[in-house]
């Protein structure tokens, strides 16, 4: 699987976990130079508090386009250490 935005591959792996239709990529599969921590936080009743990353590709910025759960609740333990995407980031199967 690859996560692509603005023509740039942001992450690539054969190991994703799908939860609620979203592919969660291992954090180590991300190309770190394209990500900056965001101040945004949201809460999911069964997964816990989500943190966000803004995506940088070329001169473009996609604010809060990736999210992860630093300390997911037990019901979402399978996404610990993983990141998912939205806001126009394409997730494609190789």
């Amino acid at each position: 699987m690859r996560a692509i935005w603005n023509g740039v591959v942001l992450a690539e792996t054969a190991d994703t976990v799908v939860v609620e239709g979203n592919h969660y990529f291992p954090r180590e599969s991300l190309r770190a130079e394209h990500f900056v921590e965001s101040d945004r936080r949201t809460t999911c009743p069964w997964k816990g508090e989500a943190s966000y990353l803004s995506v940088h590709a070329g001169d473009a910025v996609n604010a809060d386009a990736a999210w992860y759960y630093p300390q997911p609740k037990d019901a979402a333990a399978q996404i610990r250490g993983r990141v998912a995407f939205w806001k126009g980031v394409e997730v494609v199967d190789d």
Side-chain angles (χ1 to χ4, degrees):
M1 301 297 293
R2 288 182 294 152
I4 302 168
W5 183 71
N6 200 33
V8 173
V9 175
L10 305 172
E12 190 167 11
T13 186
D15 173 30
T16 64
V17 173
V18 180
V19 175
E20 297 180 329
N22 297 301
H23 286 267
Y24 283 80
F25 287 68
R27 184 74 182 238
E28 60 272 10
S29 72
L30 274 62
R31 296 186 177 164
E33 68 271 19
H34 297 295
F35 297 90
V36 174
E37 288 285 339
S38 168
D39 291 334
R40 182 175 183 186
R41 303 288 182 269
T42 58
T43 302
C44 171
W46 72 273
K47 290 183 290 227
E49 184 179 77
S51 294
Y52 288 77
L53 301 164
S54 292
V55 173
H56 294 248
D59 293 334
V61 176
N62 192 345
D64 307 329
W67 76 91
Y68 64 98
Y69 291 86
Q71 298 177 335
K73 292 183 177 184
D74 290 344
Q78 72 272 28
I79 60 172
R80 183 180 307 278
R82 294 178 175 270
V83 178
F85 301 94
W86 69 319
K87 295 181 77 175
V89 176
E90 285 185 273
V91 174
V92 297
D93 194 355
D94 292 330

